[in-house]
């Protein structure tokens, strides 16, 4: 992982993914009351930092799937403890 | 989950205990009990005269056949242990394969023949020792490679002079293993296909696979982490979607086993029944989201929100989400609004509102 400081929105997204499991970015946006464009930007940032996996999923209404990584779970648990 | 009609599961079923099997088992138990009763029946003065010769005959017959049964059972146990350790993920299915029975039968027959040979050639040998030497020794010898000479400083097998008594058995065992693997391959493919049919969403498959690995009680922490890392690799955007989904389904099968997959499929079938579909809020919610994404424009979704939402906050969020945004595409915006409305309004009221709009 490249970064270790999470912003509030990033933390909210990660906690949602850790709690709910893999989901589409639109579900993440709806769940966290974040706007779709902002959610995608946050997810791309988190993906490049190795906190989430973001990939295509034709079965999802918005065509994408996002899931938290094990490293991010460990990091989240460490910072919450 | 896909709304395809429920089908019958044709693999991974538990072995059905049929009436014939029950009767056979009962007859066997009664036979063994009768045998034991006759052998241990106390002979007293009041015992009828025919009991004693019967007891002697039964005892003699049992003493004659028991060694063969014992070595046969030992041979079968070794063969079963080999199969179970080879097919650790699918031991039950492997034991049900035709070639598994051939392998077990060959072991049993070979052990019995070995005992016959020992009894004929070594008549002076203690009978208990005969059973032990064949039951344990024979099984070890047919799997052994004796190294008679070894080149100094050579770690490989090339410089060895060896007598490989296990060669023949190795060939047969490899044949049996390959045939069982091929037989199981069909079942594995069926299981994966059915999993993909009933759980088409990659998110759902991924969550099931994650849970399956976490729930395994026998995995060490390192094994669990390795398997989770392997699972995460499948979410790599470079991996083709169908390959990723099939591999995740296979991972569920390998970590959970056939019976677990059967349970998942049964649950999926129950969820897809018309009665369950009527009650299932999540399935209805997913369908509703799709319907709204497919049929509504962003402006229409805003108008729908103004009709059904009781909170200004909800309306404001939807209006903001519907505004043109270069960072998001329309499908993503519509899906976000649809998910948000399902969460905030509820499936039933939203379904009614969408239905009324559709009729209008």
């Amino acid at each position: 992982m490249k970064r270790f400081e999470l912003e509030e929105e990033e933390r909210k997204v990660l906690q949602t993914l850790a709690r709910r499991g893999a989901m589409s970015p639109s579900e993440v946006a709806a769940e966290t009351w974040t706007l779709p464009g902002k959610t995608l930007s946050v997810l791309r940032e988190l993906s490049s930092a190795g906190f989430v996996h973001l990939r295509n999923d034709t079965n999802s209404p918005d065509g994408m799937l996002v899931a938290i990584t094990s490293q991010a779970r460990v990091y989240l648990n460490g910072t919450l403890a | 989950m896909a709304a395809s009609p429920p089908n019958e599961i044709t693999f991974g079923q538990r072995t059905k205990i049929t009436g014939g099997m029950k009767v056979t088992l009962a007859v066997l138990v009664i036979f063994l009990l009768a045998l034991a009763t006759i052998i241990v029946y106390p002979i007293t003065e009041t015992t009828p005269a025919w009991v004693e010769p019967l007891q002697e005959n039964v005892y003699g017959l049992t003493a004659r056949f028991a060694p063969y049964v014992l070595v046969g059972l030992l041979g079968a146990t070794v063969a079963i242990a080999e199969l179970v350790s080879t097919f650790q993920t699918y031991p039950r299915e492997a034991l049900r394969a035709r070639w598994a029975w051939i392998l077990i039968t060959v072991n049993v027959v070979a052990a019995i023949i070995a005992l016959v040979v020992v009894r004929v050639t070594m008549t002076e040998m203690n009978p208990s020792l005969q059973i032990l030497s064949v039951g344990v020794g024979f099984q070890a010898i047919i799997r052994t490679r004796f190294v008679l000479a070894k080149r100094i400083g050579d770690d490989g097998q090339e410089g060895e002079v060896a007598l490989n008594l296990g060669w023949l058995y190795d060939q047969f065992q490899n044949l049996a293993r390959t045939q069982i693997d091929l037989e199981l391959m069909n079942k594995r493919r069926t299981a994966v296909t059915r999993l993909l049919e009933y759980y088409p969403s990659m998110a759902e498959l991924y969550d099931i696979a994650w849970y399956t690995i976490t729930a395994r009680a026998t995995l060490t922490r390192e094994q669990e982490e390795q398997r989770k890392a392997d699972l995460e690799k499948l979410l790599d955007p470079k991996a083709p979607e169908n390959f990723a989904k099939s591999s995740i389904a296979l991972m569920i099968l390998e970590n959970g086993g056939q019976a677990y997959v059967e349970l998942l499929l049964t649950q999926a079938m129950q969820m897809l029944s018309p009665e369950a579909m009527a009650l299932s809020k999540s399935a209805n919610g997913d369908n509703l989201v799709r319907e709204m994404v497919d049929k509504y424009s962003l402006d229409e979704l805003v108008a729908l929100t103004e009709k059904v939402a009781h909170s200004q906050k909800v309306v404001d969020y939807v209006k903001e989400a519907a505004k043109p945004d270069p960072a998001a595409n329309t499908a993503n915006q519509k899906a976000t609004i649809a998910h948000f409305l399902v969460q905030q309004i509820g499936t039933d009221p939203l379904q009614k509102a969408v239905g009324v709009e559709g009729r209008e």
Side-chain angles (χ1 to χ4, degrees):
Chain A
M1 273 179 270
K2 293 168 191 168
R3 299 179 316 155
F4 293 93
E5 289 298 324
L6 289 178
E7 289 172 12
E8 189 48 40
E9 274 172 339
E10 292 174 329
R11 183 177 294 278
K12 207 160 59 174
V13 165
L14 284 183
Q15 283 171 345
T16 303
L17 287 169
R19 197 177 60 246
R20 294 277 311 271
M23 49 172 55
S24 65
S26 57
E27 275 180 287
V28 178
E31 189 81 18
T32 57
W33 286 66
T34 314
L35 294 175
K38 175 71 183 168
T39 308
L40 279 174
S41 307
V42 168
L43 288 175
R44 287 195 182 109
E45 281 276 308
L46 288 171
S47 175
S48 61
F51 283 100
V52 297
H53 292 293
L54 191 61
R55 66 156 297 142
N56 293 343
D57 178 13
T58 47
N59 199 258
S60 153
D62 51 347
M64 291 183 95
L65 167 80
V66 61
I68 189 170
T69 63
S70 300
Q71 285 174 307
R73 274 181 205 272
V74 172
Y75 177 73
L76 212 53
N77 290 339
T79 53
L80 287 176
Chain B
M1 278 178 275
S4 54
N7 294 320
E8 224 176 287
I9 305 172
T10 54
F11 70 95
Q13 288 177 327
R14 290 184 184 283
T15 309
K16 279 182 186 169
I17 299 171
T18 59
M21 284 162 81
K22 282 180 190 168
V23 170
T24 310
L25 192 70
V27 168
L28 190 70
V29 170
I30 291 168
F31 174 74
L32 289 174
L33 279 175
L35 218 60
T37 310
I38 292 168
I39 290 170
V40 300
Y41 193 84
I43 305 291
T44 59
E45 287 174 3
T46 55
T47 308
W50 56 268
V51 174
E52 198 173 348
L54 175 73
Q55 194 177 47
E56 280 171 10
N57 286 336
V58 169
Y59 181 79
L61 209 65
T62 309
R64 185 174 292 176
F65 283 107
Y68 299 102
V69 174
L70 274 174
V71 292
L73 279 176
L74 278 168
T77 308
V78 173
I80 289 170
E82 278 178 348
L83 284 168
V84 168
S85 60
T86 307
F87 298 96
Q88 284 180 3
T89 319
Y90 321 97
R92 210 181 53 187
E93 288 72 24
L95 285 175
R96 268 191 271 166
R98 195 162 53 96
W99 273 89
W101 285 100
I102 294 174
L103 185 74
I104 293 168
T105 309
V106 165
N107 270 274
V108 171
V109 172
I112 290 171
I113 291 171
L115 183 63
V116 171
V117 172
V118 168
R119 289 196 135 187
V120 169
T121 55
M122 301 177 192
T123 45
E124 299 299 312
M125 197 174 179
N126 182 308
S128 305
L129 205 59
Q130 283 178 342
I131 296 167
L132 204 65
S133 62
V134 172
V136 180
F138 174 72
Q139 300 298 336
I141 283 171
I142 62 164
R143 291 163 176 82
T144 305
R145 180 174 178 272
F146 292 101
V147 178
L148 304 177
K150 188 174 166 65
R151 193 188 297 159
I152 295 168
D154 195 347
D155 290 334
Q157 290 184 356
E158 281 179 12
E160 290 176 358
V161 177
L163 178 64
N164 192 356
L165 294 179
W167 182 85
L168 189 64
Y169 184 74
D170 276 351
Q171 303 309 306
F172 177 68
Q173 199 188 36
N174 285 339
L175 173 71
R177 192 176 57 194
T178 309
Q179 293 303 320
I180 294 168
D181 198 27
L182 288 175
E183 201 172 318
L184 291 181
M185 186 66 205
N186 281 338
K187 291 176 182 171
R188 281 201 293 264
R189 184 65 212 161
T190 314
V192 168
T193 309
R194 301 301 293 278
L195 266 177
L196 293 175
E197 188 183 338
Y198 284 95
Y199 295 92
S201 151
M202 195 190 289
E204 210 170 356
L205 279 174
Y206 181 81
D207 285 343
I208 292 171
W210 183 274
Y211 169 78
T212 310
I213 296 168
T214 308
R216 280 282 299 270
T218 51
L219 294 183
T220 62
R221 180 169 285 275
E222 289 74 27
Q223 283 174 322
E224 186 182 321
E225 280 171 6
Q226 182 57 50
R227 290 183 193 200
K228 282 181 177 171
D230 292 343
L231 176 64
E232 281 181 21
K233 276 181 201 157
L234 295 172
L235 285 190
D236 189 325
K238 288 173 199 155
E241 194 181 327
N242 284 339
F243 165 78
K245 280 162 77 171
S246 302
S247 303
I248 294 173
L250 185 62
M251 206 170 245
I252 294 171
L253 177 65
E254 292 193 330
N255 282 288
Q258 296 265 20
Y260 177 65
V261 170
E262 182 197 344
L263 176 76
L264 288 174
L265 291 174
T266 310
Q267 282 175 348
M269 285 174 193
Q270 283 165 357
M271 292 286 286
L272 289 171
S273 67
E275 300 83 16
M277 286 287 275
L279 292 171
S280 168
K281 286 212 164 68
S282 67
N284 284 344
D286 289 346
N287 291 337
L288 188 55
V289 166
R290 276 177 201 290
E291 192 181 341
M292 288 162 75
V293 170
D294 291 342
K295 290 183 182 168
Y296 284 72
S297 68
L298 281 170
D299 290 338
E300 285 168 342
L301 283 172
V302 173
L304 176 70
T305 310
E306 284 171 333
K307 265 188 196 172
V308 295
H310 302 298
S311 158
Q312 191 54 41
K313 271 184 175 178
V314 172
V315 178
D316 290 345
Y317 174 85
V318 171
K319 280 182 176 172
E320 279 296 312
K323 280 181 183 169
D325 186 347
N329 58 35
T330 313
N332 184 261
Q333 287 176 291
K334 287 201 281 184
T336 302
I337 294 171
H339 279 300
F340 185 73
L341 288 180
V342 168
Q343 282 172 17
Q344 299 300 323
I345 312 294
T347 311
D348 290 341
L350 198 59
Q351 185 90 59
K352 276 179 195 160
V354 170
V356 168
E357 290 224 331
R359 282 197 294 277
E360 282 171 1

